[in-house]
Amino acid sequence: MKFFLDTADLAHIEEAAGWGVVAGVTTNPTLYARTGGKLADFPSHILRICALIEGPVSAEAVGETRGEIVEQGRELAALDSHVVVKVPTTIEGLAATKVLADEGIDVNMTLCFSVPQAILAARAGAAYVSPFVGRFDDISEDGIARLAEVIEAVSLYDFGHTVEIIAASLRSAHHVTQAALLGADIATVPFGVLQKLIKHPLTDRGLASFAADWEKVAKA
Ligand code: G3P
């Protein structure tokens, strides 16, 4: 399983890129809004992310019609070869994905919550499908169980192109553990979650005891 960073925060992306484990970035309109960025600066912001990360960078095409999504998708894809166009899992999104994919543009179909949505996204030509986990938990449903269904269903078929499952809306180490055990291709995680993933109290305790013992060695 690869790790993507689910943020548009340049400082967080730069910091995490230095850890050597971030294979890509996913952004969405909410994450960009959190940076305080203006609409006109969105393309340059995506370019700055592309300069920090050697891997796919998802940028969302925000439009209501397939025509609007395709137009925005083409503009975003033209920014940098790393850009993956994020498209919502709707009828207009499916139609736009088909057009973009036929033009050789990688699409990440997002806001996916069901097996039929995931299979339709893959059939439309999406290179990435993003089932959301945490938002099910928000409505007292089992997001991990829904993710498991999507991973299993997509793995049963040959779509004629590579389809990677991005486990999204992950909020905890537990979510990431389950995504890994289920065989998700990618886990996209917020910076705060990525920080927590490497932490373990037994690692800290072991490190403290090694340091104390090494001090004894140095004084002996
Ligand atoms: O990238 C989209 C997704 O990961 C959003 O997560 O926490 O807003 O449900 P969340």
Short mmCIF file of all heavy atoms in Angstrom, two decimals, residues 10-59:
data_model
loop_
_atom_site.label_atom_id
_atom_site.label_comp_id
_atom_site.label_asym_id
_atom_site.label_seq_id
_atom_site.Cartn_x
_atom_site.Cartn_y
_atom_site.Cartn_z
N LEU A 10 0.94 23.46 1.83
CA LEU A 10 2.28 23.32 1.26
C LEU A 10 3.33 22.99 2.32
O LEU A 10 4.24 22.19 2.08
CB LEU A 10 2.68 24.60 0.52
CG LEU A 10 1.85 24.92 -0.73
CD1 LEU A 10 2.17 26.31 -1.24
CD2 LEU A 10 2.08 23.88 -1.82
N ALA A 11 3.21 23.60 3.51
CA ALA A 11 4.20 23.33 4.57
C ALA A 11 4.13 21.87 5.00
O ALA A 11 5.17 21.22 5.19
CB ALA A 11 3.94 24.25 5.76
N HIS A 12 2.92 21.35 5.13
CA HIS A 12 2.78 19.94 5.51
C HIS A 12 3.30 19.02 4.42
O HIS A 12 3.95 18.00 4.70
CB HIS A 12 1.30 19.63 5.82
CG HIS A 12 0.83 20.19 7.12
ND1 HIS A 12 -0.49 20.25 7.47
CD2 HIS A 12 1.53 20.70 8.17
CE1 HIS A 12 -0.61 20.79 8.68
NE2 HIS A 12 0.60 21.09 9.12
N ILE A 13 3.02 19.37 3.17
CA ILE A 13 3.48 18.53 2.05
C ILE A 13 5.02 18.53 2.00
O ILE A 13 5.65 17.49 1.86
CB ILE A 13 2.88 19.01 0.72
CG1 ILE A 13 1.36 18.79 0.72
CG2 ILE A 13 3.52 18.29 -0.47
CD1 ILE A 13 0.60 19.50 -0.40
N GLU A 14 5.60 19.72 2.18
CA GLU A 14 7.07 19.82 2.14
C GLU A 14 7.69 18.99 3.27
O GLU A 14 8.65 18.26 3.07
CB GLU A 14 7.49 21.29 2.24
CG GLU A 14 8.99 21.46 2.04
CD GLU A 14 9.37 22.92 1.83
OE1 GLU A 14 8.56 23.82 2.17
OE2 GLU A 14 10.48 23.14 1.33
N GLU A 15 7.11 19.12 4.47
CA GLU A 15 7.63 18.38 5.62
C GLU A 15 7.51 16.87 5.38
O GLU A 15 8.48 16.13 5.53
CB GLU A 15 6.86 18.80 6.88
CG GLU A 15 7.05 17.93 8.11
CD GLU A 15 8.48 17.90 8.65
OE1 GLU A 15 9.25 18.82 8.33
OE2 GLU A 15 8.82 16.93 9.37
N ALA A 16 6.33 16.42 5.00
CA ALA A 16 6.11 14.98 4.83
C ALA A 16 6.91 14.42 3.66
O ALA A 16 7.35 13.26 3.70
CB ALA A 16 4.62 14.68 4.66
N ALA A 17 7.13 15.23 2.64
CA ALA A 17 7.92 14.76 1.49
C ALA A 17 9.32 14.37 1.95
O ALA A 17 9.91 13.40 1.43
CB ALA A 17 7.99 15.84 0.42
N GLY A 18 9.82 15.07 2.95
CA GLY A 18 11.15 14.77 3.48
C GLY A 18 11.23 13.45 4.22
O GLY A 18 12.32 12.96 4.51
N TRP A 19 10.10 12.88 4.57
CA TRP A 19 10.09 11.59 5.28
C TRP A 19 10.27 10.42 4.32
O TRP A 19 10.45 9.28 4.76
CB TRP A 19 8.79 11.39 6.07
CG TRP A 19 8.51 12.47 7.07
CD1 TRP A 19 9.36 13.45 7.48
CD2 TRP A 19 7.28 12.69 7.78
NE1 TRP A 19 8.74 14.27 8.39
CE2 TRP A 19 7.48 13.83 8.60
CE3 TRP A 19 6.05 12.04 7.80
CZ2 TRP A 19 6.47 14.32 9.42
CZ3 TRP A 19 5.06 12.54 8.63
CH2 TRP A 19 5.26 13.67 9.42
N GLY A 20 10.18 10.70 3.02
CA GLY A 20 10.49 9.68 2.02
C GLY A 20 9.41 8.64 1.79
O GLY A 20 9.68 7.61 1.18
N VAL A 21 8.20 8.88 2.27
CA VAL A 21 7.16 7.85 2.14
C VAL A 21 5.91 8.34 1.41
O VAL A 21 4.98 7.56 1.21
CB VAL A 21 6.72 7.32 3.53
CG1 VAL A 21 7.85 6.56 4.19
CG2 VAL A 21 6.21 8.44 4.43
N VAL A 22 5.92 9.60 1.02
CA VAL A 22 4.70 10.14 0.39
C VAL A 22 4.80 9.97 -1.13
O VAL A 22 5.65 10.55 -1.78
CB VAL A 22 4.49 11.62 0.76
CG1 VAL A 22 3.26 12.18 0.05
CG2 VAL A 22 4.34 11.77 2.26
N ALA A 23 3.90 9.15 -1.66
CA ALA A 23 3.95 8.82 -3.10
C ALA A 23 3.02 9.69 -3.94
O ALA A 23 3.03 9.59 -5.16
CB ALA A 23 3.58 7.35 -3.28
N GLY A 24 2.23 10.54 -3.30
CA GLY A 24 1.31 11.39 -4.05
C GLY A 24 0.52 12.27 -3.10
O GLY A 24 0.66 12.16 -1.87
N VAL A 25 -0.29 13.14 -3.68
CA VAL A 25 -1.11 14.06 -2.89
C VAL A 25 -2.52 14.08 -3.47
O VAL A 25 -2.70 14.00 -4.67
CB VAL A 25 -0.51 15.49 -2.92
CG1 VAL A 25 -1.47 16.53 -2.37
CG2 VAL A 25 0.80 15.54 -2.14
N THR A 26 -3.51 14.14 -2.58
CA THR A 26 -4.88 14.37 -3.02
C THR A 26 -5.37 15.67 -2.39
O THR A 26 -5.13 15.92 -1.21
CB THR A 26 -5.81 13.21 -2.59
OG1 THR A 26 -5.64 12.93 -1.21
CG2 THR A 26 -5.52 11.94 -3.39
N THR A 27 -6.01 16.48 -3.22
CA THR A 27 -6.60 17.72 -2.71
C THR A 27 -8.09 17.70 -3.04
O THR A 27 -8.54 16.88 -3.84
CB THR A 27 -5.96 18.97 -3.35
OG1 THR A 27 -6.33 19.02 -4.74
CG2 THR A 27 -4.44 18.95 -3.25
N ASN A 28 -8.83 18.57 -2.42
CA ASN A 28 -10.22 18.78 -2.81
C ASN A 28 -10.55 20.25 -2.52
O ASN A 28 -9.74 20.97 -1.92
CB ASN A 28 -11.17 17.78 -2.11
CG ASN A 28 -11.20 17.93 -0.60
OD1 ASN A 28 -11.08 19.04 -0.07
ND2 ASN A 28 -11.35 16.83 0.12
N PRO A 29 -11.70 20.73 -2.96
CA PRO A 29 -12.02 22.16 -2.77
C PRO A 29 -11.97 22.58 -1.30
O PRO A 29 -11.53 23.69 -0.98
CB PRO A 29 -13.43 22.28 -3.34
CG PRO A 29 -13.49 21.21 -4.39
CD PRO A 29 -12.72 20.06 -3.82
N THR A 30 -12.42 21.71 -0.40
CA THR A 30 -12.39 22.05 1.03
C THR A 30 -10.95 22.21 1.52
O THR A 30 -10.62 23.16 2.24
CB THR A 30 -13.10 20.94 1.85
OG1 THR A 30 -14.43 20.81 1.36
CG2 THR A 30 -13.11 21.25 3.33
N LEU A 31 -10.09 21.28 1.11
CA LEU A 31 -8.70 21.33 1.56
C LEU A 31 -8.00 22.58 1.02
O LEU A 31 -7.19 23.21 1.73
CB LEU A 31 -7.96 20.06 1.14
CG LEU A 31 -8.46 18.76 1.79
CD1 LEU A 31 -7.82 17.53 1.15
CD2 LEU A 31 -8.20 18.78 3.29
N TYR A 32 -8.31 22.97 -0.23
CA TYR A 32 -7.71 24.19 -0.78
C TYR A 32 -8.26 25.42 -0.04
O TYR A 32 -7.51 26.34 0.29
CB TYR A 32 -7.94 24.30 -2.28
CG TYR A 32 -7.31 25.55 -2.86
CD1 TYR A 32 -5.93 25.74 -2.79
CD2 TYR A 32 -8.09 26.56 -3.44
CE1 TYR A 32 -5.33 26.90 -3.30
CE2 TYR A 32 -7.51 27.72 -3.95
CZ TYR A 32 -6.13 27.88 -3.87
OH TYR A 32 -5.54 29.03 -4.36
N ALA A 33 -9.58 25.41 0.23
CA ALA A 33 -10.20 26.55 0.94
C ALA A 33 -9.52 26.76 2.29
O ALA A 33 -9.31 27.89 2.73
CB ALA A 33 -11.69 26.32 1.13
N ARG A 34 -9.14 25.64 2.95
CA ARG A 34 -8.48 25.74 4.27
C ARG A 34 -7.15 26.45 4.21
O ARG A 34 -6.66 26.98 5.20
CB ARG A 34 -8.26 24.33 4.84
CG ARG A 34 -9.46 23.83 5.58
CD ARG A 34 -9.14 22.50 6.28
NE ARG A 34 -10.37 21.77 6.45
CZ ARG A 34 -10.50 20.47 6.45
NH1 ARG A 34 -9.42 19.70 6.32
NH2 ARG A 34 -11.67 19.90 6.61
N THR A 35 -6.50 26.45 3.03
CA THR A 35 -5.20 27.14 2.92
C THR A 35 -5.38 28.65 2.84
O THR A 35 -4.41 29.39 2.93
CB THR A 35 -4.43 26.68 1.65
OG1 THR A 35 -5.12 27.18 0.48
CG2 THR A 35 -4.28 25.18 1.57
N GLY A 36 -6.64 29.09 2.60
CA GLY A 36 -6.90 30.52 2.44
C GLY A 36 -6.60 31.01 1.03
O GLY A 36 -6.63 32.22 0.77
N GLY A 37 -6.32 30.08 0.13
CA GLY A 37 -5.96 30.45 -1.25
C GLY A 37 -7.14 31.00 -2.04
O GLY A 37 -8.29 30.69 -1.75
N LYS A 38 -6.82 31.83 -3.04
CA LYS A 38 -7.86 32.40 -3.91
C LYS A 38 -8.03 31.51 -5.14
O LYS A 38 -7.11 30.77 -5.51
CB LYS A 38 -7.44 33.80 -4.37
CG LYS A 38 -7.35 34.82 -3.25
CD LYS A 38 -7.13 36.22 -3.85
CE LYS A 38 -7.20 37.30 -2.80
NZ LYS A 38 -6.07 37.29 -1.88
N LEU A 39 -9.19 31.65 -5.79
CA LEU A 39 -9.48 30.83 -6.97
C LEU A 39 -8.41 31.01 -8.05
O LEU A 39 -7.92 30.04 -8.64
CB LEU A 39 -10.87 31.22 -7.53
CG LEU A 39 -11.39 30.38 -8.69
CD1 LEU A 39 -11.52 28.91 -8.29
CD2 LEU A 39 -12.74 30.91 -9.17
N ALA A 40 -8.02 32.27 -8.26
CA ALA A 40 -7.05 32.56 -9.33
C ALA A 40 -5.69 31.93 -9.05
O ALA A 40 -4.91 31.70 -9.98
CB ALA A 40 -6.90 34.07 -9.48
N ASP A 41 -5.42 31.67 -7.78
CA ASP A 41 -4.10 31.10 -7.42
C ASP A 41 -4.10 29.58 -7.40
O ASP A 41 -3.06 28.97 -7.12
CB ASP A 41 -3.67 31.62 -6.04
CG ASP A 41 -3.53 33.12 -6.03
OD1 ASP A 41 -3.19 33.68 -7.09
OD2 ASP A 41 -3.77 33.74 -4.97
N PHE A 42 -5.26 28.96 -7.64
CA PHE A 42 -5.34 27.50 -7.55
C PHE A 42 -4.34 26.80 -8.50
O PHE A 42 -3.61 25.90 -8.05
CB PHE A 42 -6.77 27.03 -7.79
CG PHE A 42 -6.96 25.55 -7.63
CD1 PHE A 42 -6.70 24.91 -6.42
CD2 PHE A 42 -7.37 24.78 -8.71
CE1 PHE A 42 -6.86 23.54 -6.28
CE2 PHE A 42 -7.54 23.40 -8.58
CZ PHE A 42 -7.29 22.78 -7.36
N PRO A 43 -4.28 27.20 -9.79
CA PRO A 43 -3.32 26.51 -10.68
C PRO A 43 -1.87 26.60 -10.18
O PRO A 43 -1.14 25.61 -10.19
CB PRO A 43 -3.50 27.22 -12.02
CG PRO A 43 -4.88 27.80 -11.97
CD PRO A 43 -5.09 28.19 -10.52
N SER A 44 -1.47 27.78 -9.71
CA SER A 44 -0.08 27.91 -9.25
C SER A 44 0.14 27.11 -7.97
O SER A 44 1.23 26.57 -7.73
CB SER A 44 0.33 29.37 -9.07
OG SER A 44 -0.50 29.97 -8.11
N HIS A 45 -0.91 27.01 -7.15
CA HIS A 45 -0.81 26.21 -5.92
C HIS A 45 -0.59 24.74 -6.28
O HIS A 45 0.27 24.07 -5.68
CB HIS A 45 -2.09 26.39 -5.10
CG HIS A 45 -1.98 25.90 -3.70
ND1 HIS A 45 -1.56 26.70 -2.65
CD2 HIS A 45 -2.19 24.67 -3.17
CE1 HIS A 45 -1.53 25.99 -1.54
NE2 HIS A 45 -1.92 24.76 -1.82
N ILE A 46 -1.35 24.25 -7.25
CA ILE A 46 -1.19 22.85 -7.67
C ILE A 46 0.22 22.64 -8.24
O ILE A 46 0.87 21.62 -7.97
CB ILE A 46 -2.27 22.48 -8.72
CG1 ILE A 46 -3.66 22.46 -8.06
CG2 ILE A 46 -1.98 21.14 -9.40
CD1 ILE A 46 -3.86 21.41 -6.96
N LEU A 47 0.71 23.63 -8.99
CA LEU A 47 2.07 23.51 -9.54
C LEU A 47 3.11 23.43 -8.44
O LEU A 47 4.10 22.69 -8.54
CB LEU A 47 2.37 24.69 -10.47
CG LEU A 47 1.83 24.53 -11.89
CD1 LEU A 47 2.01 25.83 -12.68
CD2 LEU A 47 2.55 23.38 -12.60
N ARG A 48 2.89 24.19 -7.36
CA ARG A 48 3.84 24.15 -6.24
C ARG A 48 3.81 22.79 -5.56
O ARG A 48 4.84 22.26 -5.14
CB ARG A 48 3.53 25.28 -5.24
CG ARG A 48 3.89 26.65 -5.82
CD ARG A 48 3.44 27.77 -4.92
NE ARG A 48 4.32 27.94 -3.77
CZ ARG A 48 4.09 28.77 -2.76
NH1 ARG A 48 2.99 29.50 -2.78
NH2 ARG A 48 4.92 28.86 -1.77
N ILE A 49 2.62 22.18 -5.46
CA ILE A 49 2.54 20.83 -4.88
C ILE A 49 3.29 19.85 -5.79
O ILE A 49 4.06 19.01 -5.31
CB ILE A 49 1.07 20.38 -4.71
CG1 ILE A 49 0.35 21.27 -3.69
CG2 ILE A 49 0.99 18.92 -4.26
CD1 ILE A 49 -1.14 21.00 -3.53
N CYS A 50 3.10 19.99 -7.10
CA CYS A 50 3.78 19.09 -8.06
C CYS A 50 5.30 19.19 -7.94
O CYS A 50 6.01 18.21 -8.15
CB CYS A 50 3.34 19.40 -9.49
SG CYS A 50 1.63 18.96 -9.84
N ALA A 51 5.77 20.39 -7.61
CA ALA A 51 7.23 20.58 -7.49
C ALA A 51 7.76 19.90 -6.22
O ALA A 51 8.94 19.55 -6.14
CB ALA A 51 7.55 22.07 -7.46
N LEU A 52 6.88 19.68 -5.24
CA LEU A 52 7.31 19.09 -3.96
C LEU A 52 7.22 17.58 -3.95
O LEU A 52 7.91 16.92 -3.17
CB LEU A 52 6.44 19.64 -2.81
CG LEU A 52 6.60 21.12 -2.46
CD1 LEU A 52 5.51 21.55 -1.48
CD2 LEU A 52 7.99 21.37 -1.86
N ILE A 53 6.35 17.03 -4.78
CA ILE A 53 6.04 15.60 -4.72
C ILE A 53 6.28 14.93 -6.07
O ILE A 53 5.76 15.38 -7.09
CB ILE A 53 4.55 15.40 -4.31
CG1 ILE A 53 4.33 15.82 -2.87
CG2 ILE A 53 4.07 13.97 -4.54
CD1 ILE A 53 4.93 14.89 -1.83
N GLU A 54 7.07 13.87 -6.06
CA GLU A 54 7.28 13.13 -7.31
C GLU A 54 6.24 12.03 -7.41
O GLU A 54 6.50 10.87 -7.09
CB GLU A 54 8.69 12.51 -7.32
CG GLU A 54 9.76 13.51 -7.65
CD GLU A 54 11.14 12.86 -7.72
OE1 GLU A 54 11.22 11.68 -8.10
OE2 GLU A 54 12.10 13.56 -7.36
N GLY A 55 5.05 12.40 -7.79
CA GLY A 55 3.98 11.42 -7.87
C GLY A 55 2.68 12.10 -8.25
O GLY A 55 2.65 13.32 -8.44
N PRO A 56 1.59 11.34 -8.34
CA PRO A 56 0.32 11.90 -8.76
C PRO A 56 -0.22 12.93 -7.77
O PRO A 56 -0.14 12.73 -6.56
CB PRO A 56 -0.62 10.68 -8.80
CG PRO A 56 0.23 9.48 -8.63
CD PRO A 56 1.52 9.90 -8.04
N VAL A 57 -0.74 14.02 -8.30
CA VAL A 57 -1.33 15.08 -7.49
C VAL A 57 -2.77 15.29 -7.99
O VAL A 57 -2.98 15.76 -9.10
CB VAL A 57 -0.53 16.40 -7.61
CG1 VAL A 57 -1.25 17.54 -6.88
CG2 VAL A 57 0.88 16.22 -7.06
N SER A 58 -3.73 14.90 -7.17
CA SER A 58 -5.14 15.03 -7.57
C SER A 58 -5.63 16.45 -7.36
O SER A 58 -5.53 16.99 -6.25
CB SER A 58 -6.02 14.07 -6.76
OG SER A 58 -5.83 12.75 -7.17
N ALA A 59 -6.18 17.03 -8.42
CA ALA A 59 -6.77 18.37 -8.36
C ALA A 59 -8.20 18.25 -8.90
O ALA A 59 -8.41 17.68 -9.97
CB ALA A 59 -5.96 19.35 -9.20
#
